[in-house]
Amino acid sequence: KEAAVSAALTAASFLPGFDCGRLYELALKAARDGYELGLSAAGMPPVGAKLPQRIELAVNLALRYRRDPEKLLQELNDVVGFGAYASEAVPSAVGLVIAAGGRAGEAVRLAANAGNCACCTAVIAAAACAASSPVDEALEEHFEKVRAAAPFDWEPLWAGLTAFAELVEGGRDVFTL
């Protein structure tokens, strides 16, 4: 269910008019739909953290502490978490996007300062922001630093992702490639 919410948020960020308010609404809807799907498939409530409630907690914390990044990160870590599990990464990402006002660079900066295993949170937050807003100069600056420091040829990756995106845009069923 958490992976479906992550995918839904990323895909939804490509919709016209997507903003932080819509992110919150769509995250809650995807989480609730995933919970209902799990309930109907298993015939019993899904085990584990309840994603809709965790998203609500993260957003409430983001709204309360958005002007105090240190307190925001402390509270998000203590209440929701910054682990690799989607039940932590998705709500934290939504909270960081809200706190950052939809700016990808700021959301990633917050995640980088969160510590723990916030890399998943950073990726989800950046993906949810990036498609619906212009490239943040701060994010581009950080990427240039990564590109300079990492001995990795990014061009084939970009070419492959671009080709994949073109298949999706063209209506191709990418699940049967």
Side-chain angles (χ1 to χ4, degrees):
K1 67 185 180 191
E2 290 89 357
V5 174
S6 299
L9 293 180
T10 303
S13 68
F14 285 89
L15 297 173
F18 183 79
D19 61 15
C20 291
R22 293 275 297 143
L23 171 72
Y24 176 60
E25 293 168 11
L26 292 169
L28 281 179
K29 180 176 180 354
R32 289 181 179 135
D33 289 352
Y35 184 85
E36 292 301 318
L37 181 62
L39 179 62
S40 68
M44 60 184 208
V47 177
K50 304 299 183 266
L51 201 53
Q53 291 88 336
R54 292 174 73 89
I55 292 169
E56 288 175 348
L57 282 169
V59 169
N60 285 330
L61 291 169
L63 293 172
R64 182 179 300 155
Y65 298 114
R66 68 179 162 216
R67 295 189 194 344
D68 186 351
E70 287 183 27
K71 184 69 171 169
L72 169 65
L73 296 178
Q74 177 186 353
E75 291 296 318
L76 274 175
N77 186 52
D78 291 348
V79 176
V80 178
F82 284 108
Y85 294 110
S87 60
E88 293 181 10
V90 170
S92 292
V94 173
L96 293 182
V97 170
I98 299 292
R103 295 181 317 275
E106 178 64 12
V108 170
R109 187 190 64 75
L110 286 167
N113 286 309
N116 296 335
C117 189
C119 53
C120 296
T121 301
V123 168
I124 295 167
C129 292
S132 60
S133 60
V135 173
D136 187 325
E137 287 181 22
L139 191 59
E140 186 65 29
E141 176 186 326
H142 291 300
F143 184 71
E144 289 303 321
K145 290 177 184 174
V146 170
R147 185 188 337 218
F152 184 77
D153 183 8
W154 294 94
E155 298 304 321
L157 175 63
W158 289 330
L161 289 173
T162 300
F164 183 75
E166 289 169 355
L167 288 174
V168 172
E169 285 179 356
R172 178 97 185 259
D173 179 5
V174 295
F175 296 105
T176 59
L177 289 178

